[in-house]
Amino acid sequence: MNLELVPMLQQIMLVLASMVLLISFILMDQVRLVAAIHTFAWQGALIAAITTIVAISEGHMHLYFSALLTFTLKALLIPWMLHRQVRKLELDHEKEALEHPVIASMIAVALVIFSYWLVLPIVQQELIFTRNVVAISLAVVLIGFLIMVVRKQAIAQVLGFMSMENGLFLAAVSATSGMPLIIELGVAFDVLVAMVLFGIFFFQIRESIESLDVDRLNHLSESEKE
Amino acid sequence: MPSALWFAGLAVSFSLLSAIIPVFTVNTPRLLRVLTTLLLCLIGIAALISGLITLSENEVATAELPLGLPWLHWHIRLDALSGFFISLIGVVTVAIGLYSYGYVRGFEHGQDSLIALGGFTGLFLTGMLLVVLADDAFMFMISWELMSLSSYFLVAFHHEHAANRRAAFLYLLMAHVGGLSILLSYGVLASLGDGFTFEAMRAAEIPFGWASLSFILAFIGFGMKAGLLPLHAWLPEAHPVAPSHISALMSGVMLKVAVYGLIRVIFDLIGQFHWQWGVTVLTIGSISALLGVLYALMQNDLKRLLAYSSVENLGIIFIGLGLSILFMSENHRLIATVAFVAALYHSLNHALFKSLLFLGAGSILHSANEQDLEKMGGLLRRMPWTGLFFLIGCISISSLPPFNGFVSEWLTFQAALQTWQLNSGVLRSLLPIAAAMLALTGALAAACFVKVYGIAFLGQARSRHIRRARPVPLSMRVGQGILALFCLLLGLLPVPFISLIDNVPRQVLDQTLTQATAHGWLWLTPVSADTASYGAPLIAIALFIALGLGLWLVGRGIRRVRRCDAWDCGFAPPTPNMQYTSTAFAQPIRRVFGLLFKIEEGVERNQQGKLTHHLKISDRAWGLFYAPIARTVEKAASKITRIQSGNIRTYLGWSLTTLVFLLWVIA
Amino acid sequence: MNLQISLLALVQLVLYALLAPLVAGWIHWVKAKLQNRCGARIFQPYRDLYKLFNKEARMAHTASQLFRASPYIVFTATLLAASAVPLLSINLPTAAIADIIAIAGLLALSRFFLALAGMDVGTAFGGMGASREMLVSALAEPAMLVAVFTLAMTAHTTNLASLVGFQLTETFVLRPSFMFALAALVLVAIAETGRIPVDNPSTHLELTMIHEAMILEYSGRHLALMEWAAQLKLLLYGTLLTNVFFPWGIAQDLSLTSLAIGLLSLIAKLLLLGIILAISETVLAKMRLFRTPAFLNLALLLGLLGMLSHVILEIGV
């Protein structure tokens, strides 16, 4: 693929896609919860921007709507809700450093290479561009999963989950110029409901174990030793 | 003019002679020393001449000796690859020969047996020379075992300490496991080819699966000898306990013989290149390089530190070989050649500077009987020549321009930088990571040798016997000087040396590096002039002009430097105990890379009620790799002991069963 | 023609040596203004150097000859490294002496001697500075290399003059990889030149010093050379970053007008860079030493992301 032959809009999209990936890495290493929520909001905004670019280049009207929806939901509403919960739960100054940040980020790098390897069998020339962005989206999904594995804080895990959703959305937008509007609305609604449910869970967990550190949930295991 | 093979034969005969001579001259130690030195120098010079002739003439000489088995005479072959390694052995041997004249004198009045030292050194050299010359698996294995066994006795030279005996035994054990693995690898090749001569193995058509098996066996066998992780554990135990000039031979030369063996088997005998092999070699090489230097940084025993640093450098050599295999697998011959030459060049460089550093460590041992860094300090002012040569060794091993270590590392980087030519995207993203590990290794090596030089040679003496250190005898200084000179030459004039060894890739890979040397002796341009170039002589000239200018200013005396006390912050004047120690220097790195070490640290109160701090840093390989194997073996052994009932008739019963079983198998 | 080019190379070398204190002075001045101080004049570093060169050089009793030789080696190695970085024009014959990896090697050589000189006197500070400096540089090295790899994979060269030439001839494209590489290199440059937040060049507080701890025992002309070398290194990294990533204005031929444009654009770029550096040093605080690994890990991560986005997004065969 010769980058000089790629139209400018697509070049911008490449830049934005790589920024989305960067934000996944930052999200994983972000020590402070509030800052992590802001980082997540930026990822949502970038996804919305990419959707807008696809809308401009493809000329689909519903994509503009979907971009707007993404922006309000992922860059504004969900971060706002999370932020509110953090304040209510008095976690503003909560810090949670990863135990081995370097190892975690190297695993994430390995995941990126792995997802690239996964999409490599697609060799059709006209699909190359899409394929590459799909590789990035897949990497974002996997890193989202990794975030849920390495972080202990329940809210941070939710952020990982949401960024997985971001990755899926990015793949959908770049590969098929977005899903049908009705599905998108459904997914958006699901995410919103999930967010509300998570919020309720946070309070429940907090009440029962007085912390949001999910490692504490280990005590619930029946096969507890000693 | 006699042929190259003749000189090689001369070198072998001299080394056999030097193995025998100690028996006759044991009562005249002085004569023994003179004769040994003379013979070692002759061996070295003969080997060097033989190698140089082979390298410059691009011819392959073969011969068959009427020795060995009736149906398999010993075959000897001297091609460019053997020529390169035989000259490597030669250079180091000359320096060690001169050095040993002064060094061995220290042993004359002790109880140590000079017969053992001289005799086994001769056998050791014979073994190494014959390995490089061998052209059939049978002779190769015999010389290989000769090399391993004689070096075992040299490791056990100071056998009065139990720790040394243990190290020697570990070495023997590992050498045998490795030897077995090499033997099996040859076995695979021989069964697919037509017999045990290398000629037959080369001609054989080997399917991928068998070739891979043979590759893995050879890699394990030679990698064990070369000290690659995780098979390196014997190396830091065995190398430091031998007499220093023998440590130099083992680290500088014997490890290169292992490199030779691997190149011979993979590049020449198997002659196939698969990316899986390349990735394996590259990965193991990178890990060895990085962990080797990290472990080296944590050592306080100078010789042990140098031994760990050998692990690192062998790792770098294998990175070069791995890159070469990778590029060959995608048929980029030119880049593969760059990587191959980088590996060869680094082998030579490491032989030079590691021997130099071991000789330096030996000089400190000789004059102050100390190899603990924590007790050294200020040696530069007490042993200026050794200090200068050791500095050259440190700069070279830290791969800094304009010395030789930089050239080979730079070439390795240049090969890695051609990653964009590879077709596979995954390899394209993996190679830079390996290169980043190499860069980290290089920088950590610099940190390690700043520590060594700063602690040992600079600052103030930390113990009384170091304060009394005196310069070593002339012969020892000359031995080090030769190696230092070669370090400088190989760094300053990489172009002539690379064109000299160009015949090795010509014969092995069927490709030369003509473009690397096409722009005259000033410029090294491995791929092309536009891609990258390096003008070592110019850098050296500029540095020497600046130094000369500085010295000239000082010499004119108009700007005299006045001596004063060091800044003491207004408190008590600084004492040697206030200096940063070797442990303290490495502390930040120990903390950052803490996961990779097994650290036991704590503060305790002893009987007198004083607080003592103890810190023990050990290799994780023991716990992760060796202990499980040892446990398994022990478990299996305890099960098998049940057979040992003590009843003779039971034993005979077992024998009968075995016999019947074997007959059944054959039928 | 050949003579002209050689002359130009010499001019650039002299310019490097002359401009280096000015850049340091400019950063000091801007910083002072930002912090509501009057601050010293921009040309103060020249006066400092002049003063130091005329003062008597002293050496501790415990120092060896290495202590004396080090300033010359450190300065020359840094100047040599600078000579291979295009300043005004991409017609630079000295660029062939060292490609970017060899430049890193030369800087490592100067650091090696700097650290040894620090340990030579045998005081606690020198050892401390040397130990820390070697840690920081070791961690910066892989990040730098990965970023260089990213550039080299696109431009197929590590020769800086060719690299800048490639940037100039290519039509304008957005390369995510270059953005990441730039970010990584900026972080590396901050660590290597000992600026805030990794090291504070203006502190003499015992426990936070890195670079200053190593040269604590130097005085007179030795100190002048060491200081000058540090300023030179800052200018070197500044030019490297600006000319590789924003090469606009650099002279491509030997005519006087294009050289003048080159000089003007260089000065403009350096002034801007100085302001950015001064602002960042004013708003940031120095990190603890053991936060530095995280900082440089970020640099490495950015470098890796640049390399990966090049492999995945830009070539994607």
Side-chain angles (χ1 to χ4, degrees):
Chain A
M1 190 171 81
N2 193 344
L3 205 60
E4 294 181 21
L5 301 179
V6 174
M8 191 38 113
L9 273 179
Q10 292 200 341
Q11 288 186 25
I12 296 175
M13 187 164 150
L14 287 184
V15 172
L16 292 177
S18 61
M19 303 280 276
V20 171
L21 186 61
L22 171 68
I23 285 192
S24 280
F25 275 88
I26 296 179
L27 198 58
M28 186 169 70
D29 282 340
Q30 191 57 264
V31 176
R32 286 172 202 282
L33 264 185
V34 177
I37 294 171
H38 291 168
T39 317
F40 172 74
W42 277 106
Q43 194 173 41
L46 280 174
I47 301 271
I50 290 178
T51 318
T52 320
I53 287 173
V54 176
I56 296 171
S57 64
E58 306 264 322
H60 290 315
M61 211 45 215
H62 80 270
L63 277 177
Y64 285 107
F65 178 73
S66 141
L68 190 69
L69 186 69
T70 312
F71 186 75
T72 22
L73 199 64
K74 287 187 186 139
L76 300 177
L77 191 59
I78 294 181
W80 176 74
M81 285 166 70
L82 280 171
H83 210 275
R84 214 177 54 133
Q85 277 161 1
V86 164
R87 241 177 299 144
K88 270 197 182 163
L89 294 166
E90 290 167 352
L91 293 173
D92 309 38
H93 301 292
E94 188 85 344
K95 267 171 48 175
E96 185 220 344
L98 291 188
E99 274 170 59
H100 305 300
V102 178
I103 295 179
S105 46
M106 287 308 132
I107 294 175
V109 167
L111 285 178
V112 177
I113 298 176
F114 174 71
S115 36
Y116 179 51
W117 178 75
L118 276 185
V119 300
L120 270 180
I122 307 172
V123 286
Q124 262 174 298
Q125 201 56 45
E126 55 273 22
L127 286 181
I128 293 273
F129 179 82
T130 315
R131 181 199 73 184
N132 296 342
V133 181
V134 168
I136 296 288
S137 337
L138 192 55
V140 171
V141 173
L142 293 181
I143 293 175
F145 219 132
L146 183 65
I147 292 175
M148 291 168 61
V149 175
V150 295
R151 302 291 296 237
K152 286 185 197 154
Q153 250 289 340
I155 294 184
Q157 287 188 320
V158 168
L159 286 176
F161 176 80
M162 293 282 166
S163 90
M164 272 174 81
E165 210 279 327
N166 275 347
L168 287 176
F169 187 80
L170 179 63
V173 166
S174 56
T176 62
S177 342
M179 293 169 272
L181 194 57
I182 185 77
I183 298 183
E184 235 163 70
L185 277 174
V187 171
F189 187 67
D190 275 356
V191 169
L192 205 60
V193 170
M195 195 56 243
V196 174
L197 285 179
F198 281 135
I200 298 168
F201 266 119
F202 289 155
F203 285 99
Q204 289 295 330
I205 298 174
R206 168 80 163 214
E207 241 165 59
S208 48
I209 64 171
E210 294 182 341
S211 161
L212 277 184
D213 184 339
V214 290
D215 277 5
R216 296 277 196 94
L217 294 176
N218 296 358
H219 297 300
L220 301 177
S221 159
E222 281 183 21
S223 64
E224 202 173 330
K225 289 158 201 155
E226 293 170 71
Chain B
M1 189 173 163
S3 70
L5 212 52
W6 188 83
F7 276 110
L10 198 65
V12 174
S13 335
F14 278 140
S15 54
L16 276 175
L17 192 64
S18 83
I20 300 166
I21 271 187
V23 183
F24 301 107
T25 53
V26 68
N27 293 323
T28 46
R30 193 175 158 78
L31 180 67
L32 171 60
R33 260 198 306 143
V34 174
L35 281 178
T36 313
T37 302
L38 195 70
L39 277 174
L40 284 178
C41 289
L42 285 174
I43 298 167
I45 292 169
L48 189 61
I49 294 176
S50 142
L52 288 180
I53 295 177
T54 319
L55 279 174
S56 56
E57 284 184 349
N58 189 26
E59 274 172 18
V60 179
T62 51
E64 206 173 313
L65 299 182
L67 290 167
L69 304 173
W71 63 91
L72 182 66
H73 286 167
W74 284 10
H75 292 72
I76 279 185
R77 187 163 181 269
L78 191 56
D79 58 3
L81 183 63
S82 311
F84 174 77
F85 280 93
I86 211 169
S87 32
L88 182 153
I89 298 175
V91 178
V92 179
T93 309
V94 172
I96 282 169
L98 289 171
Y99 182 87
S100 69
Y101 181 75
Y103 187 73
V104 173
R105 194 171 182 178
F107 297 134
E108 271 176 12
H109 305 294
Q111 303 150 336
D112 303 307
S113 157
L114 288 183
I115 302 187
L117 185 62
F120 286 117
T121 310
L123 284 179
F124 184 39
L125 279 170
T126 316
M128 292 198 288
L129 288 169
L130 286 180
V131 167
V132 176
L133 288 172
D135 195 32
D136 63 74
F138 185 64
M139 180 182 172
F140 187 98
M141 286 317 296
I142 288 185
S143 341
W144 183 267
E145 291 300 332
L146 179 66
M147 176 180 92
S148 298
L149 274 177
S150 50
S151 51
Y152 160 73
F153 288 106
L154 292 170
V155 169
F157 182 65
H158 294 295
H159 52 80
E160 56 279 4
H161 299 296
N164 295 0
R165 289 199 296 273
R166 192 177 153 266
F169 178 70
L170 179 69
Y171 170 52
L172 191 67
L173 185 74
M174 299 286 276
H176 272 87
V177 176
L180 186 68
S181 180
I182 298 169
L183 188 66
L184 288 175
S185 168
Y186 279 132
V188 171
L189 290 178
S191 63
L192 289 163
D194 183 28
F196 279 89
T197 58
F198 284 173
E199 205 58 57
M201 293 181 187
R202 245 174 241 131
E205 286 288 324
I206 308 163
F208 174 65
W210 286 109
S212 294
L213 181 65
S214 174
F215 159 77
I216 289 172
L217 286 169
F219 189 50
I220 292 176
F222 291 117
M224 191 171 275
K225 198 64 162 181
L228 294 185
L229 255 84
L231 304 173
H232 68 291
W234 62 274
L235 201 152
E237 305 292 329
H239 284 199
V241 299
S244 294
H245 64 295
I246 302 299
S247 311
L249 262 186
M250 290 179 72
S251 254
V253 184
M254 188 179 72
L255 299 183
K256 303 309 156 346
V257 175
V259 173
Y260 163 81
L262 193 76
I263 295 179
R264 179 62 81 195
V265 171
I266 297 179
F267 285 77
D268 189 17
L269 300 186
I270 302 182
Q272 303 174 16
F273 303 93
H274 302 283
W275 67 266
Q276 295 92 331
W277 302 1
V279 170
T280 313
V281 177
L282 188 67
T283 316
I284 299 283
S286 316
I287 294 175
S288 304
L290 184 57
L291 290 184
V293 72
L294 280 172
Y295 286 131
L297 253 167
M298 294 306 131
Q299 306 305 319
N300 290 333
D301 178 326
L302 180 54
K303 286 179 78 177
R304 219 176 137 83
L305 183 149
L306 291 176
Y308 264 118
S309 135
S310 289
V311 175
E312 173 225 336
N313 280 284
L314 267 289
I316 296 177
I317 294 172
F318 278 86
I319 289 177
L321 291 179
L323 283 174
S324 182
I325 297 174
L326 262 178
F327 280 105
M328 276 307 278
S329 74
E330 290 210 1
N331 216 12
H332 294 292
R333 271 175 195 277
L334 182 65
I335 316 298
T337 310
V338 174
F340 185 71
V341 168
L344 287 184
Y345 210 80
H346 200 74
S347 305
L348 180 57
N349 290 341
H350 180 243
L352 294 170
F353 53 61
K354 188 49 64 69
S355 307
L356 172 59
L357 291 172
F358 263 118
L359 296 190
S363 301
I364 301 175
L365 259 178
H366 182 86
S367 89
N369 197 20
E370 187 57 77
Q371 57 182 31
D372 185 359
L373 278 174
E374 300 281 33
K375 301 206 171 101
M376 296 184 190
L379 283 171
L380 179 59
R381 274 171 293 143
R382 294 176 176 85
M383 310 164 74
W385 283 104
T386 304
L388 176 67
F389 297 142
F390 203 87
L391 180 64
I392 292 178
C394 285
I395 301 177
S396 305
I397 202 171
S398 312
S399 62
L400 298 173
F403 285 85
N404 58 356
F406 180 74
V407 178
S408 40
E409 205 166 305
W410 187 78
L411 281 173
T412 313
F413 277 128
Q414 292 306 328
L417 278 164
Q418 299 304 312
T419 307
W420 58 271
Q421 297 197 8
L422 290 174
N423 292 322
S424 153
V426 176
L427 287 184
R428 261 206 309 265
S429 40
L430 283 180
L431 243 58
I433 296 178
M437 279 171 83
L438 180 59
L440 181 60
T441 306
L444 286 173
C448 180
F449 284 91
V450 164
K451 166 181 132 165
V452 170
Y453 200 77
I455 299 285
F457 283 89
L458 306 177
Q460 305 178 49
R462 291 176 176 82
S463 64
R464 200 191 309 158
H465 43 282
I466 286 290
R467 209 168 292 135
R468 289 193 193 137
R470 290 280 164 273
V472 290
L474 182 69
S475 65
M476 290 169 77
R477 275 180 274 160
V478 172
Q480 297 173 58
I482 291 176
L483 291 172
L485 185 71
F486 269 101
C487 282
L488 190 63
L489 279 180
L490 278 168
L492 289 188
L493 303 168
V495 177
F497 281 101
I498 283 178
S499 44
L500 184 65
I501 61 178
D502 212 15
N503 278 328
V504 184
R506 191 201 303 274
Q507 288 179 8
V508 177
L509 297 175
D510 208 9
Q511 169 80 42
T512 58
L513 273 187
T514 33
Q515 83 296 335
T517 50
H519 296 262
W521 63 280
L522 276 181
W523 308 103
L524 183 60
T525 50
V527 185
S528 75
D530 277 341
T531 310
S533 53
Y534 170 56
L538 296 171
I539 290 178
I541 290 169
L543 280 173
F544 287 128
I545 288 178
L547 264 185
L549 213 65
L551 284 180
W552 177 71
L553 277 177
V554 175
R556 280 187 52 187
I558 39 170
R559 299 235 183 138
R560 194 168 295 282
V561 174
R562 201 142 57 90
R563 295 279 183 164
C564 58
D565 287 331
W567 168 238
D568 55 11
C569 302
F571 297 104
T575 67
N577 289 340
M578 289 182 189
Q579 298 175 91
Y580 242 49
T581 59
S582 160
T583 316
F585 189 93
Q587 190 267 348
I589 291 170
R590 184 171 80 229
R591 185 160 158 186
V592 172
F593 294 93
L595 264 186
L596 301 172
F597 310 112
K598 190 160 163 256
I599 303 176
E600 295 159 34
E601 188 175 13
V603 178
E604 276 169 14
R605 201 174 279 282
N606 65 5
Q607 284 96 347
Q608 285 92 43
K610 280 187 179 165
L611 286 175
T612 53
H613 170 250
H614 67 91
L615 171 69
K616 186 163 175 262
I617 305 159
S618 36
D619 205 325
R620 278 225 186 258
W622 282 107
L624 290 179
F625 188 72
Y626 293 90
I629 292 181
R631 270 201 299 275
T632 322
V633 170
E634 219 158 85
K635 238 181 236 168
S638 67
K639 289 225 171 97
I640 292 174
T641 40
R642 262 184 252 161
I643 302 173
Q644 194 189 20
S645 59
N647 187 337
I648 289 186
R649 285 187 303 122
T650 322
Y651 295 164
L652 289 172
W654 280 114
S655 304
L656 179 64
T657 324
T658 318
L659 185 63
V660 170
F661 177 75
L662 283 177
L663 286 172
W664 176 71
V665 168
I666 294 169
Chain C
M1 191 66 180
N2 226 334
L3 185 76
Q4 268 181 328
I5 293 185
S6 318
L7 201 67
L8 187 65
L10 201 64
V11 169
Q12 295 203 44
L13 197 61
V14 174
L15 210 57
Y16 257 113
L18 289 183
L19 271 182
L22 189 64
V23 172
W26 167 247
I27 294 171
H28 272 296
W29 189 80
V30 177
K31 243 169 119 175
K33 290 292 156 224
L34 283 171
Q35 294 163 359
N36 263 338
R37 296 186 276 120
C38 354
R41 284 171 52 185
I42 298 177
F43 297 99
Q44 187 61 34
Y46 291 106
R47 298 176 180 196
D48 289 344
L49 288 182
Y50 179 77
K51 180 187 75 183
L52 285 173
F53 268 114
N54 281 310
K55 285 191 109 172
E56 183 195 23
R58 294 187 126 198
M59 250 167 88
H61 292 297
T62 45
S64 66
Q65 291 307 316
L66 188 135
F67 186 81
R68 215 162 173 178
S70 287
Y72 299 98
I73 299 178
V74 169
F75 182 77
T76 321
T78 316
L79 193 63
L80 259 174
S83 77
V85 182
L87 188 70
L88 292 182
S89 154
I90 59 168
N91 288 316
L92 187 64
T94 44
I97 292 180
D99 71 336
I100 189 159
I101 293 180
I103 290 175
L106 281 169
L107 291 176
L109 178 72
S110 88
R111 185 187 313 121
F112 189 85
F113 274 94
L114 188 64
L116 283 185
M119 298 182 78
D120 193 15
V121 178
T123 58
F125 286 139
M128 188 182 73
S131 159
R132 291 176 174 180
E133 172 83 6
M134 293 324 278
L135 170 76
V136 171
S137 68
L139 295 174
E141 207 78 353
M144 162 139 176
L145 197 90
V146 175
V148 167
F149 249 88
T150 311
L151 299 179
M153 277 164 115
T154 312
H156 302 169
T157 175
T158 47
N159 185 318
L160 278 175
S162 318
L163 192 61
V164 176
F166 168 83
Q167 287 278 58
L168 284 170
T169 49
E170 204 196 33
T171 50
F172 180 76
V173 282
L174 285 176
R175 287 187 186 277
S177 62
F178 275 34
M179 293 168 25
F180 285 121
L182 172 64
L185 279 180
V186 166
L187 297 190
V188 168
I190 287 175
E192 291 265 343
T193 50
R195 310 299 300 192
I196 291 174
V198 174
D199 185 14
N200 187 349
S202 54
T203 184
H204 275 101
L205 197 67
E206 291 91 348
L207 299 177
T208 59
M209 288 190 289
I210 299 181
H211 182 261
E212 289 299 315
M214 287 186 288
I215 59 171
L216 201 62
E217 289 293 331
Y218 274 110
S219 56
R221 60 177 186 276
H222 295 150
L223 181 61
L225 280 174
M226 287 293 199
E227 298 273 5
W228 202 357
Q231 292 161 353
L232 204 54
K233 199 171 170 187
L234 182 64
L235 177 61
L236 184 156
Y237 270 103
T239 339
L240 186 79
L241 288 174
T242 50
N243 277 350
V244 167
F245 290 97
F246 312 101
W248 309 300
I250 194 166
Q252 298 186 61
D253 52 47
L254 292 177
S255 69
L256 273 181
T257 36
S258 57
L259 282 180
I261 294 174
L263 185 62
L264 284 178
S265 68
L266 173 80
I267 289 175
K269 282 185 253 179
L270 287 179
L271 289 183
L272 196 67
L273 192 75
I275 294 175
I276 295 173
L277 192 63
I279 293 176
S280 81
E281 295 204 336
T282 308
V283 296
L284 290 176
K286 189 191 167 297
M287 296 186 293
R288 281 192 298 130
L289 179 70
F290 286 107
R291 299 271 300 156
T292 319
F295 179 81
L296 289 168
N297 183 37
L298 176 66
L300 175 64
L301 197 63
L302 285 168
L304 280 175
L305 278 176
M307 189 267 293
L308 287 175
S309 56
H310 171 77
V311 170
I312 298 177
L313 290 174
E314 291 170 19
I315 316 180
V317 180

